[in-house]
Amino acid sequence: MSSSQATDETLEFRPRFGADGLLVAVAQDAVSGRILMLAHMNAEALSQTIKTGIAHYWSRSRQSLWMKGETSGNVQRVREMRVDCDQDAILLMVTVEGDGASCHTGRESCFYRVLTDTDDTPRLRFVPE
Amino acid sequence: MSSSQATDETLEFRPRFGADGLLVAVAQDAVSGRILMLAHMNAEALSQTIKTGIAHYWSRSRQSLWMKGETSGNVQRVREMRVDCDQDAILLMVTVEGDGASCHTGRESCFYRVLTDTDDTPRLRFVPE
């Protein structure tokens, strides 16, 4: 596979980090298909994730490497890892250990609120777990 | 619902755009659960998406508002829209019109390559549509 091949058809893994040094990563439950969370990875988080098979992210708020579940036990074990066409986004298909929460609120998914149809002002409602 | 309530429990929709004025949006097939693509939204793209029920994004490369499928016909019709705990990411559950492609390569999903287990250097392989 030539290294000059276009990013979207090459079989070389060439992650394209943004100006901030980060990729966006989306974690999806490997069994249910539910989207659990969105987070960011720097090169070290990506490398640790590949090496260990456990999701690592870069915490933008804490400015530090973050092994998901390190304190809670809700480790995300990576079953499959995909990259998108322009190689600036990563999809992690995971199974979650511990009590299964991926959200800091204790919920399984961070996406627990849906926009409701309103006349002018969008509102949210909670969706059941 | 008090406006002082924490971002992660409020039912007020308070999208938190980044310093670049953008949110990350993930599009998921509403029926199959397959993740189709990741993209970005500025305030106008978000507003147009809510108003029309059709996914609009902000193209960072073209620096312009982008109605997905405007030229290809592969419009993403939004069935449900969710926001994450800190309201800086949006999940669109969509059905895709036209030939069903969401990727510029003509594939259904942008995530058509999986990282393979290798000794040292990660490689990619194509996954069937």
Side-chain angles (χ1 to χ4, degrees), chain B residues 58-91:
Chain B
W58 175 254
S59 167
R60 294 184 300 172
S61 54
R62 295 191 301 270
Q63 290 284 302
S64 62
L65 184 71
W66 164 44
M67 180 186 133
K68 177 78 186 159
E70 188 163 25
T71 53
S72 68
N74 301 332
V75 166
Q76 295 180 338
R77 203 160 288 275
V78 179
R79 303 306 176 180
E80 191 172 291
M81 204 164 160
R82 297 189 182 195
V83 66
D84 77 344
C85 48
D86 52 5
Q87 301 212 27
D88 66 355
I90 296 285
L91 167 59

Side-chain angles (χ1 to χ4, degrees), chain A residues 1-17 23 46 83-88 90, chain B residues 113 115 122-124:
Chain A
M1 200 58 64
S2 158
S3 64
S4 66
Q5 197 171 16
T7 305
D8 53 9
E9 296 298 336
T10 186
L11 293 179
E12 286 176 17
F13 184 47
R14 303 178 200 152
R16 295 200 314 142
F17 298 93
L23 299 172
L46 178 63
V83 66
D84 77 345
C85 47
D86 53 4
Q87 301 212 27
D88 66 356
I90 296 285
Chain B
R113 286 172 298 185
L115 270 77
R123 293 276 297 171
L124 303 175

Side-chain angles (χ1 to χ4, degrees), chain A:
Chain A
M1 200 58 64
S2 158
S3 64
S4 66
Q5 197 171 16
T7 305
D8 53 9
E9 296 298 336
T10 186
L11 293 179
E12 286 176 17
F13 184 47
R14 303 178 200 152
R16 295 200 314 142
F17 298 93
D20 55 3
L22 302 177
L23 299 172
V24 181
V26 52
Q28 180 179 34
D29 187 290
V31 178
S32 70
R34 187 168 188 193
I35 294 183
L36 303 176
M37 58 182 281
L38 252 70
H40 295 81
M41 286 182 170
N42 65 356
E44 190 186 356
L46 178 63
S47 161
Q48 285 296 315
T49 301
I50 293 171
K51 189 173 152 188
T52 63
I54 290 172
H56 289 67
Y57 301 104
W58 175 255
S59 168
R60 293 184 302 174
S61 54
R62 294 191 302 270
Q63 290 284 302
S64 62
L65 184 72
W66 165 43
M67 180 188 133
K68 178 78 187 157
E70 188 163 24
T71 51
S72 68
N74 301 334
V75 166
Q76 295 179 338
R77 204 160 286 276
V78 179
R79 303 305 176 181
E80 191 171 292
M81 204 164 160
R82 296 189 182 196
V83 66
D84 77 345
C85 47
D86 53 4
Q87 301 212 27
D88 66 356
I90 296 285
L91 166 58
L92 302 178
M93 296 160 102
V94 304
T95 48
V96 184
E97 302 188 344
D99 65 15
S102 283
C103 184
H104 76 283
T105 64
R107 295 175 176 93
E108 184 191 333
S109 165
C110 294
F111 293 92
Y112 50 83
R113 287 171 299 185
V114 60
L115 268 77
T116 57
D117 285 323
T118 51
D119 299 331
D120 286 314
T121 310
R123 293 276 298 172
L124 304 174
R125 67 174 167 78
F126 291 108
V127 286
E129 277 285 276

Side-chain angles (χ1 to χ4, degrees), chain B residues 29 32 34-36 96 100-103 106-110 129:
Chain B
D29 187 288
S32 70
R34 188 168 186 192
I35 295 182
L36 303 176
V96 184
S102 283
C103 184
R107 295 176 176 93
E108 183 190 334
S109 164
C110 295
E129 276 285 276

